[in-house]
Amino acid sequence: MVARYDSLALLTAVALVLSGFAASGQEAERKGIPAPPGHVFKTIISGYEYRSKETRALQDDDLENPGFLAIERATDMWKTVEGSEGKSCMSCHGDAETSMKGVGAAMPKWSEKLNKPVNLEQQINICRSEHMKAEPWAFKSQQLTDMTAFVRNQSRGMPVTVKTDGPMSPWFEKGKQIYYTRVGQLDLACASCHEQNNGKFLRADFLSQGQSNGFPTYRLRDQRLIPLHERFEGCMFDVRGVPYKPLSDEFLALELYVAWRGIGLPVETPSVRN
Amino acid sequence: MRSPLAAVLGCLLLAVAAQAEEPIKLDVVDGALPKSLTGAPGSAEAGQKVFLNRTLGNCLACHQVSSLKSEEFHGEVGPSLDGVAGRYSEAQLRLIVANPKLIFADTVMPAFFRNEGLNRVRPEFVGKSILTAAQVEDVVAFLETLK
């Protein structure tokens, strides 16, 4: 009995050491969530886990996180009347903390009226032009990115969920096709970096799974919030490719597909990245 | 506002520029390129510069090389190139740099001497290879020093 107990203990110790080695490998030391059956990854991991201790600490502290300045600005804009209808966002939606909870976690969403998916930026501009009769905000304008971050922030901590079936299904397939298509003079696809090589250094860049749960994200390099389609543009440009246009059908399809790749991850907006 | 005429002229210019570049053909023999692309040997010293330069080879983005330890940031996407000259002949190395896709199926390594069959290439790079023939020869000469 005693001997057996000992050998078991030894086995356990060996197993622990071995798993310790495994944990020093790629995926294991970064916390993630188990992916649903049929997903491309076994473990879905937020970009947060690939960033330095300092960058993560900045994201974790709401007072230090520079992305919260945008949230503050948008908190005021939410209540600001604009346009010929004399309305603010609040006139229709009331308190964002309750009415917008969960909304940003489930984008892009199918629009019956437009017969296509819309993302958060587009929905905000639809509200502006149709319900407020105000000018839509330009993509990458501070207002649109701030408001997108504000609405998404109401879902912070909630799992990313997107519908990919029904009328969404051709959009999902299109996004998937774009994700796996090599582009540019460097001939690389999204998958070349974020699926095949995440957890590895590409010179000074530490490649993540390219998840979208933190967007809009505060980029330390640019010292401002970056909307998701601007990141897509950047990644395509860097491989010397011609990016699709922000808010184009192509990037919308890609946004849907990328959201699915991160299904279940907590919304982190405003995240901090380098 | 851009005038329609300017747009048409712009398109014409682009079309002319793209046509000016001949598609590159590689004389592949048994998974290798035996002939120098320039007809002359390359310079290892120049090749090291091309290898490191971020807008040229940028090979260190993906590879590690111990003899270049003084350089920051060696990538991990590709294997270490230490001793690579012992693993491949010069002719094989030339093809690996010119078009690795002919050797390693589905590799993420770009073809450095290829100028067609690519998708959505930015206008300034259309019809151009990442490296010139001479730069490829220089890089190959540099790889030959990695015994």
Side-chain angles (χ1 to χ4, degrees):
Chain A
M1 261 324 253
V2 172
R4 199 166 154 215
Y5 183 78
D6 276 347
S7 61
L8 256 183
L10 185 68
L11 270 179
T12 317
V14 170
L16 273 177
V17 169
L18 284 178
S19 67
F21 274 119
S24 67
Q26 285 189 26
E27 271 193 9
E29 68 183 287
R30 278 178 278 281
K31 279 194 241 92
I33 55 166
H39 198 276
V40 282
F41 294 120
K42 267 209 219 62
T43 308
I44 302 179
I45 306 170
S46 166
Y48 172 87
E49 299 290 332
Y50 295 81
R51 304 285 52 106
S52 70
K53 225 172 91 202
E54 294 74 24
T55 306
R56 281 180 279 155
L58 206 52
Q59 173 173 326
D60 291 339
D61 184 342
D62 290 2
L63 294 176
E64 293 289 322
N65 181 340
F68 273 94
L69 291 174
I71 308 292
E72 276 169 34
R73 286 192 298 263
T75 309
D76 291 336
M77 281 195 296
W78 181 262
K79 301 177 244 173
T80 307
V81 170
E82 271 191 66
S84 59
E85 293 284 299
K87 285 183 182 147
S88 68
C89 312
M90 191 147 115
S91 318
C92 292
H93 297 290
D95 185 4
E97 263 174 53
T98 45
S99 69
M100 291 297 129
K101 198 174 165 67
V103 170
M107 287 286 185
K109 206 163 143 184
W110 186 255
S111 157
E112 287 298 342
K113 200 166 152 200
L114 298 177
N115 200 34
K116 65 194 262 330
V118 293
N119 73 0
L120 202 46
E121 280 96 340
Q122 288 170 321
Q123 183 57 55
I124 290 167
N125 271 338
I126 289 170
C127 285
R128 283 182 65 82
S129 35
E130 294 192 1
H131 305 301
M132 298 164 71
K133 298 272 185 282
E135 281 292 307
W137 283 318
F139 186 74
K140 284 184 206 172
S141 64
Q142 191 183 56
Q143 294 101 317
L144 185 57
T145 308
D146 285 359
M147 187 55 78
T148 305
F150 172 77
V151 174
R152 257 229 146 180
N153 178 252
Q154 309 307 321
S155 303
R156 192 155 65 139
M158 295 175 73
V160 168
T161 45
V162 273
K163 276 187 94 75
T164 55
D165 55 354
M168 283 297 218
S169 139
W171 290 80
F172 178 84
E173 291 304 327
K174 184 175 178 181
K176 178 176 179 182
Q177 187 227 321
I178 294 172
Y179 199 88
Y180 286 98
T181 302
R182 290 170 179 258
V183 295
Q185 194 191 35
L186 301 191
D187 201 26
L188 294 167
C190 313
S192 314
C193 289
H194 295 297
E195 183 169 315
Q196 284 179 260
N197 286 298
N198 70 71
K200 292 187 192 163
F201 273 97
L202 182 72
R203 209 138 192 182
D205 290 319
F206 193 48
L207 289 166
S208 73
Q209 289 184 349
Q211 300 290 3
S212 54
N213 58 309
F215 279 82
T217 187
Y218 187 87
R219 269 194 94 181
L220 296 166
R221 201 184 75 175
D222 300 297
Q223 309 215 350
R224 63 182 172 90
L225 279 184
I226 302 294
L228 183 60
H229 291 196
E230 185 175 351
R231 179 81 239 195
F232 289 171
E233 266 188 312
C235 283
M236 285 185 80
F237 187 87
D238 285 349
V239 297
R240 302 187 173 178
V242 179
Y244 296 104
K245 294 270 171 285
L247 306 182
S248 63
D249 285 354
E250 287 86 358
F251 271 174
L252 205 60
L254 192 59
E255 175 173 352
L256 174 70
Y257 180 69
V258 170
W260 173 81
R261 290 177 71 97
I263 200 113
L265 281 178
V267 171
E268 287 175 17
T269 314
S271 68
V272 180
R273 301 285 187 265
N274 39 341
Chain B
M1 267 292 263
R2 263 176 88 188
S3 80
L5 183 63
V8 169
L9 281 176
C11 285
L12 278 178
L13 278 177
L14 271 182
V16 170
Q19 252 173 14
E21 318 279 338
E22 292 275 309
I24 289 171
K25 282 228 187 67
L26 298 174
D27 293 325
V28 183
V29 183
D30 293 334
L33 289 175
K35 274 192 275 178
S36 161
L37 300 173
T38 57
S43 141
E45 209 183 315
Q48 176 170 328
K49 291 202 182 104
V50 174
F51 189 95
L52 292 173
N53 187 302
R54 280 168 202 255
T55 60
L56 293 174
N58 197 18
C59 311
L60 220 53
C62 293
H63 293 286
Q64 317 94 61
V65 180
S66 299
S67 64
L68 300 175
K69 244 202 221 106
S70 58
E71 292 289 323
E72 279 188 307
F73 307 125
H74 296 220
E76 300 172 335
V77 170
S80 161
L81 297 182
D82 288 351
V84 81
R87 292 195 289 280
Y88 299 98
S89 67
E90 185 194 275
Q92 286 172 323
L93 288 174
R94 186 176 288 115
L95 182 58
I96 292 176
V97 176
N99 191 350
K101 301 174 202 226
L102 301 178
I103 299 197
F104 312 113
D106 281 338
T107 186
V108 296
M109 177 164 156
F112 287 87
F113 198 57
R114 170 185 178 183
N115 65 355
E116 54 163 359
L118 298 162
N119 193 12
R120 298 188 71 84
V121 176
R122 253 156 64 195
E124 63 266 45
F125 300 113
V126 167
K128 300 197 172 84
S129 52
I130 304 173
L131 298 181
T132 63
Q135 286 167 336
V136 172
E137 289 306 322
D138 291 343
V139 168
V140 171
F142 169 69
L143 292 176
E144 278 293 306
T145 68
L146 304 176
K147 300 267 193 227

